[in-house]
Amino acid sequence: MSVLAEVAGNLGAVGYGLAAIGPGIGVGIIFGQGVQAIARQPEAYGLIRQNMLLGFVLTEALALIGLVAPFIY
């Protein structure tokens, strides 16, 4: 039974590691596409940068929820 307790204790860390993959990919896509958009339309830099940062913040919020969720449940 103690073996099961050790496995259950480590599943939260594994779960967060898997949950962090999605936001990591999302941040890469956001900034990659943002740089590409700025290169295509430099005059829209302000608007593109604003939307890029908003997307980054929302994506990182999901990562923080993934960090807190194992402690709550």
Side-chain angles (χ1 to χ4, degrees), residues 6 26 31 34-35 45 60 62 65 71:
E6 290 175 4
F31 283 106
V35 168
Y45 172 76
E60 284 300 314
L62 289 176
I65 289 170
F71 294 114

Side-chain angles (χ1 to χ4, degrees), residues 23-63:
I25 292 170
V27 168
I29 290 172
I30 287 169
F31 283 106
Q33 295 295 320
V35 168
Q36 187 177 30
I38 291 170
R40 289 178 184 230
Q41 269 189 322
E43 66 275 3
Y45 172 76
L47 180 64
I48 294 170
R49 181 175 174 263
Q50 179 182 9
N51 289 334
M52 194 168 58
L53 290 177
L54 180 65
F56 170 73
V57 168
L58 293 175
T59 304
E60 284 300 314
L62 289 176

